[in-house]
């Protein structure tokens, strides 16, 4: 199993550009999550999904959108990139709500 | 609402000496608690988890943590630090309904030769 994979690993965007961060898991997990990690901080939840077709906002959803059309994939969309979105983004998945989450390697995004 | 407080932002130990990383939690019900480790420029790896079974939880790489309900604490310990233990450590509590994780601010562990 590859676990949780994320692409790209690094990206530089100009202000106002858009992009999609890809996340795929091959563990047949129902629950998937997107976090951002700012320097010196813990992770903050952006969006999460409890199954295909079901998504909900986390702590910091503004400026982002998600979709969950399949169990495996959970892409995160930035529509109008802003410098405040410079961060490291982690995708995670879990089998059940009380199980541990498995994290991808992260995407380092810089908005200039 | 659940919350987590890591009491030390930075801990420095010498190689071979014990490690103690402190974590207090707040939860309105019996929580699920985790410790994750993040090595520089890497993703997060689960060290150990508590889910209402034994209060002393053993994890990977010789780490363990004790759940103390009376003190609302879940401190992480290791008897003897190794250079490879240098990393960022996060104490995490889980919202039992949604699985959402609430992260502490993190503790940077420095291990000196």
């Amino acid at each position: 199993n590859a676990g949780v994979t994320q692409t790209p690993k690094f990206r530089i965007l100009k202000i106002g550009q858009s992009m999609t961060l890809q996340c795929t898991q091959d563990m047949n997990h129902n629950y998937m999550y997107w976090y951002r990690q700012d320097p010196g901080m813990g992770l903050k939840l952006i969006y999460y999904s409890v199954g295909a077709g079901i998504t909900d906002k986390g702590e910091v959803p503004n400026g982002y959108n998600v979709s969950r059309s399949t169990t495996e994939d959970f892409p995160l969309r930035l529509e109008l990139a802003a410098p405040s979105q410079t961060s490291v983004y982690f995708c995670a998945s879990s089998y059940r709500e009380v199980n541990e989450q498995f994290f991808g390697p992260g995407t380092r995004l810089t908005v200039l | 609402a659940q919350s987590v407080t890591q009491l030390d932002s930075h801990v420095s130990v010498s190689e071979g000496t014990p490690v103690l990383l402190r974590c207090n939690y707040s939860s309105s019900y019996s929580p699920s608690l985790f410790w994750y480790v993040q090595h520089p420029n890497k993703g997060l790896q689960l060290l150990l988890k508590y889910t209402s079974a034994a209060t002393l939880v053993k994890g990977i790489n010789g780490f363990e943590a004790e759940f103390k309900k009376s003190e609302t604490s879940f401190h992480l310990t290791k008897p003897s630090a190794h250079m490879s233990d240098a990393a960022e450590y996060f104490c995490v509590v889980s919202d039992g309904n949604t699985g959402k994780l609430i992260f502490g601010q993190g503790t940077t562990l420095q291990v000196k030769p």
Side-chain angles (χ1 to χ4, degrees):
Chain A
N1 286 353
V4 180
T5 57
Q6 292 183 238
T7 56
K9 285 187 168 53
F10 305 94
R11 184 72 185 269
I12 297 175
L13 284 182
K14 294 182 179 178
I15 294 172
Q17 286 186 319
S18 61
M19 76 164 294
T20 299
L21 282 66
Q22 301 291 346
C23 174
T24 300
Q25 54 91 8
D26 62 359
M27 297 174 282
N28 201 31
H29 286 170
N30 290 321
Y31 292 74
M32 295 188 74
Y33 309 84
W34 273 107
Y35 298 89
R36 60 177 287 172
Q37 183 181 30
D38 298 323
M41 305 290 286
L43 278 66
K44 293 188 185 296
L45 183 65
I46 305 171
Y47 270 95
Y48 68 100
S49 169
V50 301
I54 306 170
T55 63
D56 207 348
K57 295 177 181 178
E59 186 181 357
V60 290
N62 291 344
Y64 307 94
N65 277 302
V66 294
S67 59
R68 183 96 182 270
S69 56
T70 67
T71 299
E72 295 78 19
D73 301 306
F74 191 42
L76 178 71
R77 178 86 177 159
L78 283 72
E79 291 294 348
L80 291 170
S84 60
Q85 294 177 305
T86 293
S87 191
V88 181
Y89 291 83
F90 289 99
C91 180
S93 71
S94 65
Y95 179 63
R96 287 182 58 215
E97 64 274 16
V98 297
N99 284 33
E100 68 266 29
Q101 294 182 14
F102 294 83
F103 285 81
T107 294
R108 187 174 297 273
L109 176 67
T110 302
V111 182
L112 300 174
Chain B
Q2 292 94 320
S3 66
V4 168
T5 302
Q6 292 184 243
L7 300 173
D8 307 290
S9 60
H10 188 97
V11 170
S12 181
V13 301
S14 297
E15 190 174 22
T17 64
V19 174
L20 170 64
L21 305 183
R22 299 181 296 163
C23 173
N24 287 350
Y25 70 91
S26 173
S27 178
S28 54
Y29 50 84
S30 185
S32 292
L33 292 160
F34 307 84
W35 276 99
Y36 281 86
V37 61
Q38 184 180 31
H39 288 92
N41 299 313
K42 299 287 187 183
L44 281 80
Q45 180 184 21
L46 180 71
L47 272 180
L48 50 80
K49 64 177 180 180
Y50 167 78
T51 53
S52 73
T55 56
L56 182 62
V57 182
K58 293 187 183 299
I60 62 171
N61 300 334
F63 284 94
E64 61 182 37
E66 186 171 9
F67 174 73
K68 291 187 176 180
K69 187 175 181 179
S70 61
E71 299 176 10
T72 61
S73 69
F74 190 56
H75 301 334
L76 182 71
T77 61
K78 182 174 181 177
S80 175
H82 191 273
M83 295 297 293
S84 61
D85 294 328
E88 189 81 9
Y89 291 79
F90 293 98
C91 182
V92 183
V93 64
S94 173
D95 179 318
N97 292 324
T98 64
K100 288 190 285 187
L101 298 183
I102 294 94
F103 282 76
Q105 296 286 73
T107 298
T108 301
L109 176 63
Q110 180 187 23
V111 182
K112 296 179 290 188

